[in-house]
Amino acid sequence: MILVRQEIGDVLRDLRLQKGRTLRQVASRASVALGYLSEVERGQKEASSEILASVAEALDVPISSIMREVGDRISVLEGLPVLSDVVPDDIAGLDGDLIAPELSLR
């Protein structure tokens, strides 16, 4: 079974390590208890959206990037292809009303 909290924790840990920051530094900057952040990173606790936003800010990473990475990892675990963030040229040339009336591709 795929646990979203585990994937979120893995992504947060990976980002923290890529940034060269300690758990203590991120917890302090995010105003989150060190032990709680540790449990979130290990997938033992579910972080609220407020906690995720604080940690994202502490890591200087948009929360959308974190959630995109989580989604990509879950797709891989489910055996699905990871979707590109780029709109293919053959779709970008279509009238946006054909896809979703309220969205525009350009």
Side-chain angles (χ1 to χ4, degrees):
M1 173 184 355
I2 297 169
L3 294 177
V4 175
R5 72 173 182 256
Q6 183 68 52
E7 297 307 315
I8 290 171
D10 289 347
V11 168
L12 292 178
R13 183 184 318 102
D14 290 349
L15 286 169
R16 178 178 59 77
L17 294 174
Q18 286 173 15
K19 299 268 185 177
R21 299 194 184 142
T22 66
L23 196 58
R24 185 175 306 281
Q25 289 170 327
V26 174
S28 175
R29 191 163 175 213
S31 299
V32 175
L34 176 69
Y36 183 76
L37 183 56
S38 175
E39 289 177 315
V40 168
E41 282 193 0
R42 288 181 281 140
Q44 295 175 335
K45 295 279 185 182
E46 296 228 20
S48 68
S49 58
E50 292 86 358
I51 296 290
L52 287 175
S54 293
V55 173
E57 188 174 321
L59 291 169
D60 300 315
V61 175
I63 196 164
S64 59
S65 295
I66 292 170
M67 299 313 290
R68 185 177 304 113
E69 178 64 22
V70 169
D72 288 349
R73 289 179 183 211
I74 291 172
S75 290
V76 169
L77 291 171
E78 292 176 329
L80 300 172
V82 175
L83 299 177
S84 171
D85 288 340
V86 179
V87 177
D89 289 340
D90 59 329
I91 295 176
L94 293 176
D95 181 6
D97 289 342
L98 294 175
I99 296 173
E102 67 278 358
L103 298 177
S104 172
L105 293 174
R106 300 216 179 221

